[in-house]
Amino acid sequence: MSKSKLISIDTSIFGDIAKDYFSDNEVLRSQARKTVDHLVLNGYIPFVTYHHILEILQHEDTGTVLNRWSLFQQFPYVAWLSSYDPNAGLGSILDIHKIEVLLTLDGLGKNTGLLIQTVEESLVNYSKGTEFVELFQSLYMSIRDLGIPYSQRDKEIESICHVRDKAIDKIKLSSLFDYQLRNPTDLMESLKAFENNLCKHLQTSGDQKLSNPSEVAASFTRDLLQSSAGMFSNDISVYEAYVRASGVRVDQVSSNTTIGQLGSIAVYNQQLKIVLNSLGLPEYLEKQVPYRSQVTWEIWDHFETAMKFEKFAHGSNMQDKHMCVFALFTGVFTVDKRVCEYFNQLTRKNKALSSFLGSVVKVSHYSNLEALD
C-alpha cells in the first residue's frame, strides 16, 4: 500500500475521537462517527508505533485507555511499525535508527528516499483493526498494569533539559583553556549551590506535573559529581577532561564548538552506542556514523532545540520529538499549532527534506480531519 493514505493522528485528537465515539451523548457520538466514516471512506489508514501506544497507556483512567484501543477496531485496517527484532512487538524510533545506521555503514547514509523505502518494506505492517487489537492490547495493558510506563521519568528528563542555562549553551569550549579545576572542597560548595538553583528552576519552568523537584535536583547533582570524578585523576588539560567526561571524543569537537553543541553530540553518541549494541556491532564503528550523518537525528535535534524555548517543560515532548520523525513514513501527519510551526521552521531550514515529509496538517479538533480527501 502507498504511504499517501497512512495517517498519524495526534494522540490528543485520537483520544477526543474515542471519547466522543463511545459517549452516551448522541450528538457527540454522531460527530465522532462522522469523522471516522470520512477517514474510512477516503481510504485513510491509522499509522501506529510504540510511541503512540505509550501515550495511550499513560492515561490514568483505564476506561479511557480501553476506549482508545476499541477505536482502532472501527477502522478496516491499521498500519503499524514492527520492531527490527523479530517478535518484539511494536517498533519505535530506535528501530528506525537501526536501519539508518546500517545504511550509513554500507555507505548509503543521507539517502532519505532509500531509508523510507527500506522502512516501508521491512517494518511497516498492515492488519485489520480488530486483529491489531487482538495482537497488542493484552500485551501492552499487562505492561501498563506494572505501572504507568515512563511518564514520571519523561517529566524528570524533559524538565532538566528545559531549565538548562541557554546563555551557557553559547559558550565556546575555547573558554576552558582559561580555567583550572576547583579543589574538591570548592567543588562541593559549588555543586550544592548548583543543586539549589536547579531545584528552583525545576519548580518555576519544569513540567508542572513534576511531583518531586528537590529529589530530581539532588539525584541529577549526584550523577554529575560521579561523572566528573574522573576529571581529577588524569594528567590532561581541562579542555580534554571536560570533553571526555561529556562522553564525546576530542576529534568530534573543536575550540569553536559550543557547550550546547557538545551536549547534542553527547546525546547522539549515547544513542548511537545503544543502537550499535542492540545490533550486536562493535562500538568502534561509531566513527563511521558521524554526528549529523542521519536525517532522523537532524529532525530530532531540530525539535529538541525548538522546544527548549517553551515556557514550561512537558514530559510528552520526549515522545513528540521521536514521533515527528514518522512524518517521513506517512502521507498525513497531524499536529497541534505549536508543532506545526516547528515543522515549518524545519522545512525552511532544510528545503530538500520537505519533499520527503508527508503533509503536516494542523488540527485543533477532530472534525478538521473531514477536510482531508
Side-chain angles (χ1 to χ4, degrees):
M1 295 185 184
S2 168
K3 84 166 190 177
S4 63
K5 286 298 184 179
L6 298 189
I7 179 171
S8 174
I9 303 175
D10 178 81
T11 307
S12 176
I13 295 297
F14 189 83
D16 288 341
I17 298 174
K19 177 183 176 182
D20 290 354
Y21 196 97
F22 299 105
S23 171
D24 293 332
N25 184 307
E26 185 177 349
V27 174
L28 295 177
R29 192 166 62 246
S30 177
Q31 289 176 348
R33 296 189 176 193
K34 182 170 177 283
T35 295
V36 172
D37 288 345
H38 175 86
L39 294 174
V40 171
L41 288 172
N42 284 275
Y44 284 100
I45 300 172
F47 178 73
V48 185
T49 69
Y50 171 74
H51 302 285
H52 293 84
I53 297 302
L54 179 60
E55 289 200 329
I56 288 175
L57 296 178
Q58 288 178 349
H59 199 286
E60 296 178 356
D61 181 69
T62 300
T64 298
V65 175
L66 291 174
N67 277 346
R68 294 180 182 184
W69 278 107
S70 295
L71 185 59
F72 288 122
Q73 295 178 308
Q74 311 311 313
F75 290 89
Y77 291 96
V78 171
W80 50 278
L81 190 78
S82 66
S83 171
Y84 181 85
D85 302 311
N87 303 316
L90 290 166
S92 70
I93 188 63
L94 179 62
D95 300 291
I96 305 297
H97 287 329
K98 288 179 183 179
I99 287 180
E100 191 164 25
V101 165
L102 290 172
L103 289 174
T104 303
L105 291 172
D106 285 340
L108 300 170
K110 281 289 187 179
N111 188 331
T112 307
L114 180 59
L115 170 66
I116 293 171
Q117 179 185 342
T118 305
V119 170
E120 288 177 344
E121 293 176 352
S122 59
L123 298 186
V124 178
N125 299 267
Y126 296 86
S127 298
K128 292 181 179 179
T130 52
E131 292 175 349
F132 173 78
V133 173
E134 289 172 3
L135 278 170
F136 297 114
Q137 178 176 322
S138 177
L139 169 64
Y140 287 104
M141 289 302 288
S142 296
I143 294 174
R144 180 179 181 270
D145 290 341
L146 298 175
I148 304 300
Y150 308 124
S151 58
Q152 182 62 24
R153 184 58 177 160
D154 286 358
K155 292 180 178 65
E156 294 174 3
I157 294 172
E158 283 300 311
S159 294
I160 290 172
C161 292
H162 193 74
V163 303
R164 60 197 286 181
D165 191 324
K166 298 172 182 64
I168 292 178
D169 276 358
K170 298 177 182 178
I171 296 176
K172 293 183 178 181
L173 294 183
S174 57
S175 65
L176 293 171
F177 293 123
D178 300 324
Y179 286 88
Q180 292 183 336
L181 289 175
R182 296 174 182 265
N183 65 54
T185 301
D186 289 344
L187 175 63
M188 294 305 296
E189 291 177 358
S190 296
L191 283 175
K192 189 60 183 176
F194 169 84
E195 180 183 331
N196 292 335
N197 190 51
L198 175 60
C199 181
K200 181 182 73 173
H201 282 91
L202 288 173
Q203 292 170 329
T204 56
S205 59
D207 190 301
Q208 293 180 293
K209 294 183 179 179
L210 185 67
S211 61
N212 55 342
S214 60
E215 293 176 24
V216 172
S219 176
F220 182 78
T221 304
R222 285 194 300 271
D223 290 343
L224 179 63
L225 176 60
Q226 184 176 7
S227 65
S228 62
M231 295 178 65
F232 291 89
S233 61
N234 296 310
D235 187 22
I236 56 177
S237 68
V238 174
Y239 172 90
E240 186 173 348
Y242 185 82
V243 171
R244 287 185 179 182
S246 301
V248 176
R249 302 189 312 275
V250 175
D251 64 275
Q252 289 182 285
V253 297
S254 72
S255 59
N256 288 323
T257 301
T258 65
I259 298 294
Q261 290 168 337
L262 179 71
S264 295
I265 298 170
V267 174
Y268 172 78
N269 284 356
Q270 183 62 33
Q271 180 70 11
L272 180 57
K273 282 182 171 65
I274 292 172
V275 172
L276 290 173
N277 288 337
S278 67
L279 289 169
L281 297 174
E283 286 189 5
Y284 69 77
L285 289 176
E286 64 185 19
K287 290 188 177 182
Q288 297 182 35
V289 192
Y291 178 64
R292 291 284 186 184
S293 65
Q294 300 177 80
V295 65
T296 54
W297 184 259
E298 183 176 345
I299 295 172
W300 186 94
D301 198 37
H302 169 79
F303 283 92
E304 160 73 5
T305 301
M307 290 175 180
K308 287 179 190 174
F309 295 95
E310 295 177 3
K311 184 175 182 180
F312 296 103
H314 301 281
S316 60
N317 281 355
M318 180 168 288
Q319 300 307 316
D320 287 345
K321 286 178 283 191
H322 294 319
M323 291 170 70
C324 286
V325 171
F326 297 115
L328 291 169
F329 311 105
T330 54
V332 176
F333 192 84
T334 69
V335 295
D336 59 22
K337 178 181 179 180
R338 168 187 64 106
V339 176
C340 186
E341 176 54 31
Y342 297 157
F343 266 110
N344 289 336
Q345 294 169 4
L346 175 64
T347 53
R348 285 196 295 268
K349 184 170 61 175
N350 186 340
K351 292 182 172 59
L353 186 60
S354 61
S355 64
F356 293 103
L357 293 171
S359 177
V360 176
V361 178
K362 179 174 64 176
V363 176
S364 56
H365 185 266
Y366 63 75
S367 59
N368 300 153
L369 296 173
E370 295 172 30
L372 299 173
D373 54 23

